[in-house]
Amino acid sequence: MQDIKKKIDDLRAKLRYHSDRYYNDDAPEIEDFEYDMMMRDLKALEEQYPEFDDINSPTKRVGGKADNSFEAVEHTVRMESLQDAFSKEEIFDFDRRVKEVHDKVNYVVEPKIDGLSVSLEYVNGVFSRGSTRGDGDTGEDVSGNLRVIRSIPLKLNKTLPFIEVRGEVYMPKKSFERVVDRQLTLGEKPFKNPRNAAAGSLRQKDSSITATRGLDIFVFNVQQIEGYELTSHKQSLDFLKELGFNVIPFYEKVSSIDEAFKKVEDIGETRGELEFDIDGAVIKVDDFEEREALGSTSKFPKWAVAFKYPPEEKQTKLIDIEIAVGRTGVLTPTAVLEPVHLAGTTVSRATLHNQDFINDKGVNIGDTVTVRKAGDIIPEVLCVNEKNSNGNYVFPSVCPSCGEAVVREEGEAAIRCNNPECPAQLLRNLIHFCSRDAMDIEGLGPSIIETFVDNGFINKISDIFHLDKDKIAALDGFKETSANNIISSVEKSKDNDLGKLIFALGIRHIGAKAAKLLSDHFKTIDAVMKANTEDILEIEGFGQIMAESVVDFFNTEGARELIDELKALGVNTESKTIITDNRFEGMTFVLTGTLENYKRSEASKIIESFGGKTSSSVSKKTSYVLSGESSGSKLDKANALGIPVIGEEEFEEMINA
């Protein structure tokens, strides 16, 4: 067994070394394939010999269901915020206040990373806990999610009894673009900027999601340390590098405030070229004893100041407006500009958001406009400086991708194409169509669908049912077994209930439950397609917007053609709900809490088989609330409204009567 343990330890050491060379030094020594093979061998050994499990093993980097519940962490050393300065005069005022205590000081200047501040704790050189800053005194334990950030060392190069460091978790610009592209593909609301993306990713309950987000970290401070003496900030940053941390880049020690501000300006000139966001630069007193004498206010340390860069603005000419169709059908206008240098990069395109934004700013082709980088990432048009056109730009009335009429729903700023066969929306529609609550085609996940689209196997939804087993098996990474499984799952999906098909079509405002209500009420897809708004409004739970959305969808030529194709391919288009009897007819049940003998889906099917309906919210129209363990606000609302509340015993009596 000692030989096995040694082999496991050796593999872990090699993987840590090569991971460090790749992520921290940007100097890989082996190919990805060789690294992956070592990781596979280690995983196999750990599964075979669980007695040698280690929470800090490199295999844990891929993440899993987070075992932390974001418990509160009291910070022993307060994680202070910094006082902001917005002008050279304010920086020199800071220097004057420092000089009132110390005649001569050295400063360290470093970039201010725009991310999420965290604390990392190590006991005997091993990562033990990580937490968010919170309010400075109390944060949250996010250890599980921090472990999957590959640039965070799980074991230090030197063993210290204890050290706590502070760093900034951030999302590199390339990772941000990739994450937003994926969110748009899946029809999700995208993150607004890299900082929000980093914060949202770090607080995922499932650390395997965090692991896919490409987060990184820069460490910039020693909060506490035992077993080693540090006397200055510059010395501490150098020491953190020796320990294996990814330390804040291009920090510099200077001897005057003039040099410090020059460094601030130099950092500002390069910010547009960096692979990460910065929103300023920080000037810190270098000597720790001098810091001690300066102290802190109730909010900020007196020995540091953060200079915040103003957003840069430039004027240029708007030479064209292009309309793109997003994967959710939304038409998005982009300004094509005469190139202008802005925040370190050449800008030739900028967002115009939507028609309301264009009308508000009075924008049209040929105008001279002011452009700014919003959050130093996405260029946007601020205003019109010189009007060289007549009126405002007006969106096209048809989709530029498929030619179908576009619609703007009441209360929404977005103008969209609702055609399910629109080429611009293909990938997102395919992913939704195959998802679990929709057609539930096992084996056709997002990455597989992308592969099939890239290889020309799928060009529209109906192509899913034309997939060729031999062509799939011939692809890299696929075998005959996996190809057979996919084809089998596709065939099985043809027998789904009509409700799943309606939901799979991706009709705006129609979720899985509403799709089931349409199926149960109209019984066939033909009846749904013929229904007008008034017919659909007869269904309890349907409002005007939902009803109009269904009618608008089936009025598109693409939707009607798709249904005809699916029918010809043998896809079921009829309701399969079997009514045992009508004892629950006219009744609406709300399920809450954890049921002991039924899954909620099972209880819902039973209710529907007796002619009843289920709802996700309690109202005066609710007939019964079926309550299990840990029932929450729904139970409280039922009691407040006087709605009858039943348990499983009473429910079983009702269905067995």
Side-chain angles (χ1 to χ4, degrees):
M1 292 297 282
Q2 284 303 312
D3 289 344
I4 296 296
K5 186 175 187 310
K6 185 178 185 306
K7 188 173 181 180
I8 289 174
D9 289 342
D10 287 346
L11 279 170
R12 286 171 178 166
K14 286 178 181 177
L15 286 164
R16 288 189 184 109
Y17 172 79
H18 289 296
S19 179
D20 183 63
R21 293 292 287 162
Y22 183 91
Y23 289 100
N24 297 333
D25 299 337
D26 196 23
E29 295 179 2
I30 61 174
E31 295 295 327
D32 289 351
F33 179 78
E34 190 176 346
Y35 182 91
D36 292 341
M37 290 304 98
M38 281 197 289
M39 182 68 79
R40 188 184 69 173
D41 291 344
L42 178 57
K43 283 180 181 177
L45 286 169
E46 287 180 343
E47 288 173 4
Q48 190 174 353
Y49 301 98
E51 61 267 34
F52 299 131
D53 187 40
D54 181 354
I55 195 170
N56 287 324
S57 170
T59 58
K60 309 298 182 186
R61 291 289 200 186
V62 297
K65 293 294 181 182
D67 56 7
N68 64 63
S69 54
F70 300 148
E71 295 178 354
V73 174
E74 299 291 331
H75 298 305
T76 306
V77 176
R78 191 165 193 268
M79 296 179 70
E80 296 177 301
S81 56
L82 295 174
Q83 184 173 7
D84 291 334
F86 299 92
S87 67
K88 184 176 181 179
E89 290 72 28
E90 290 177 88
I91 293 296
F92 277 73
D93 282 344
F94 161 73
D95 179 64
R96 178 184 51 76
R97 293 191 297 271
V98 170
K99 295 291 176 59
E100 289 174 358
V101 180
H102 298 290
D103 290 337
K104 185 171 177 57
V105 296
N106 291 319
Y107 292 114
V108 173
V109 185
E110 60 197 45
K112 186 176 183 295
I113 309 300
D114 194 12
L116 189 73
S117 201
V118 298
S119 158
L120 308 176
E121 298 173 51
Y122 292 78
V123 176
N124 295 322
V126 177
F127 179 64
S128 60
R129 183 171 68 173
S131 54
T132 60
R133 176 182 176 272
D135 62 5
D137 295 311
T138 305
E140 292 181 314
D141 188 330
V142 288
S143 303
N145 289 344
L146 287 168
R147 277 194 177 90
V148 303
I149 300 176
R150 293 181 179 274
S151 53
I152 293 179
L154 300 180
K155 188 175 183 181
L156 302 180
N157 294 335
K158 296 182 180 180
T159 300
L160 295 167
F162 179 76
I163 185 172
E164 178 188 1
V165 301
R166 181 172 175 177
E168 197 82 359
V169 170
Y170 68 96
M171 182 174 285
K173 292 176 183 178
K174 286 183 179 178
S175 296
F176 176 68
E177 291 169 2
R178 178 175 52 78
V179 169
V180 167
D181 188 57
R182 168 61 66 180
Q183 288 175 316
L184 291 172
T185 298
L186 298 177
E188 300 172 354
K189 185 178 180 180
F191 290 120
K192 289 184 177 180
N193 54 55
R195 190 195 182 284
N196 288 352
S201 300
L202 194 60
R203 299 196 75 258
Q204 291 287 330
K205 289 292 184 181
D206 185 346
S207 61
S208 64
I209 297 175
T210 307
T212 66
R213 296 285 173 81
L215 296 179
D216 212 327
I217 190 171
F218 283 127
V219 173
F220 59 85
N221 203 57
V222 175
Q223 299 291 94
Q224 304 180 75
I225 188 168
E226 296 176 11
Y228 195 90
E229 186 176 352
L230 296 169
T231 60
S232 73
H233 186 56
K234 170 70 163 55
Q235 179 200 11
S236 71
L237 295 178
D238 293 341
F239 181 64
L240 288 172
K241 279 186 178 179
E242 293 177 25
L243 293 178
F245 288 107
N246 200 24
V247 175
I248 195 89
F250 38 85
Y251 59 88
E252 186 176 323
K253 180 178 175 180
V254 298
S255 57
S256 71
I257 197 63
D258 291 291
E259 289 180 81
F261 192 73
K262 177 63 169 63
K263 178 67 175 176
V264 168
E265 290 179 316
D266 290 345
I267 293 173
E269 288 178 5
T270 65
R271 59 179 170 147
E273 301 161 12
L274 301 174
E275 287 303 314
F276 48 86
D277 269 1
I278 62 173
D279 58 356
V282 184
I283 301 173
K284 300 177 180 178
V285 171
D286 184 40
D287 188 274
F288 287 164
E289 285 189 6
E290 292 172 353
R291 288 186 181 185
E292 191 74 25
L294 285 162
S296 300
T297 68
S298 60
K299 294 183 178 180
F300 314 111
K302 295 180 180 179
W303 43 262
V305 65
F307 181 83
K308 303 299 282 289
Y309 298 118
E312 190 179 356
E313 300 175 3
K314 289 282 181 71
Q315 288 187 20
T316 187
K317 189 175 181 180
L318 196 162
I319 57 178
D320 197 7
I321 294 176
E322 294 179 353
I323 301 293
V325 184
R327 293 186 177 94
T328 58
V330 174
L331 274 61
T332 303
T334 298
V336 181
L337 310 167
E338 285 188 352
V340 59
H341 196 71
L342 186 65
T345 59
T346 299
V347 171
S348 59
R349 300 171 70 81
T351 180
L352 289 169
H353 300 292
N354 51 51
Q355 185 71 66
D356 288 347
F357 180 88
I358 289 172
N359 293 343
D360 182 55
K361 303 294 182 183
V363 176
N364 207 342
I365 297 168
D367 296 341
T368 300
V369 297
T370 295
V371 185
R372 179 179 71 185
K373 276 196 172 182
D376 288 333
I377 294 293
I378 304 168
E380 67 175 359
V381 172
L382 284 180
C383 62
V384 173
N385 302 97
E386 185 180 339
K387 191 72 178 169
N388 302 315
S389 64
N390 296 319
N392 305 331
Y393 177 84
V394 178
F395 270 57
S397 59
V398 297
C399 173
S401 178
C402 69
E404 284 278 358
V406 296
V407 297
R408 178 172 177 174
E409 295 176 2
E410 188 177 349
E412 285 198 359
I415 294 172
R416 71 176 66 242
C417 170
N418 283 332
N419 180 11
E421 295 287 84
C422 178
Q425 303 172 62
L426 175 64
L427 189 57
R428 179 259 178 186
N429 290 340
L430 289 169
I431 291 169
H432 174 75
F433 189 86
C434 298
S435 62
R436 181 174 298 176
D437 289 337
M439 294 298 279
D440 192 18
I441 304 179
E442 192 175 345
L444 283 186
S447 61
I448 302 294
I449 292 172
E450 279 190 76
T451 299
F452 289 177
V453 170
D454 291 342
N455 282 274
F457 295 176
I458 303 177
N459 295 303
K460 56 183 180 177
I461 286 174
S462 57
D463 286 347
I464 292 170
F465 300 95
H466 289 293
L467 285 170
D468 186 279
K469 179 187 68 175
D470 295 331
K471 287 183 178 179
I472 295 173
L475 289 175
D476 287 342
F478 289 83
K479 295 180 180 179
E480 189 174 345
T481 302
S482 56
N484 281 330
N485 289 340
I486 289 172
I487 298 301
S488 175
S489 186
V490 168
E491 287 299 312
K492 181 182 176 184
S493 74
K494 291 181 179 180
D495 201 38
N496 282 336
D497 181 63
L498 172 60
K500 293 183 77 66
L501 173 60
I502 293 174
F503 178 60
L505 295 173
I507 305 170
R508 290 273 292 162
H509 307 298
I510 303 301
K513 188 169 286 294
K516 185 73 167 63
L517 290 174
L518 283 168
S519 171
D520 291 347
H521 183 84
F522 291 105
K523 306 300 183 186
T524 69
I525 194 69
D526 289 334
V528 176
M529 293 171 69
K530 290 176 184 176
N532 58 33
T533 303
E534 289 70 29
D535 295 333
I536 297 172
L537 283 172
E538 292 178 6
I539 304 173
E540 186 180 342
F542 268 73
Q544 188 74 25
I545 291 175
M546 293 172 69
E548 289 176 355
S549 186
V550 174
V551 173
D552 289 343
F553 178 85
F554 285 112
N555 276 340
T556 64
E557 187 177 343
R560 293 191 295 271
E561 287 180 357
L562 173 60
I563 296 303
D564 287 342
E565 289 176 351
L566 294 177
K567 282 182 181 178
L569 289 163
V571 176
N572 175 59
T573 57
E574 297 182 0
S575 171
K576 291 196 165 192
T577 300
I578 299 172
I579 305 298
T580 306
D581 62 43
N582 293 318
R583 71 184 67 184
F584 292 158
E585 186 175 2
M587 297 183 186
T588 301
F589 290 72
V590 173
L591 282 58
T592 182
T594 304
L595 302 176
E596 185 177 345
N597 298 317
Y598 305 93
K599 292 179 181 177
R600 285 196 192 184
S601 58
E602 293 172 343
S604 295
K605 284 182 180 179
I606 293 171
I607 291 166
E608 289 163 3
S609 72
F610 289 124
K613 299 175 183 176
T614 59
S615 175
S616 59
S617 58
V618 177
S619 70
K620 291 180 180 179
K621 294 182 179 180
T622 303
S623 306
Y624 294 97
V625 170
L626 174 54
S627 175
E629 288 186 17
S630 304
S631 296
S633 58
K634 291 178 183 178
L635 179 60
D636 296 336
K637 189 172 182 180
N639 290 328
L641 293 174
I643 306 296
V645 177
I646 60 173
E648 285 186 71
E649 282 190 21
E650 293 166 286
F651 180 63
E652 288 179 351
E653 288 175 7
M654 293 170 73
I655 63 179
N656 291 326

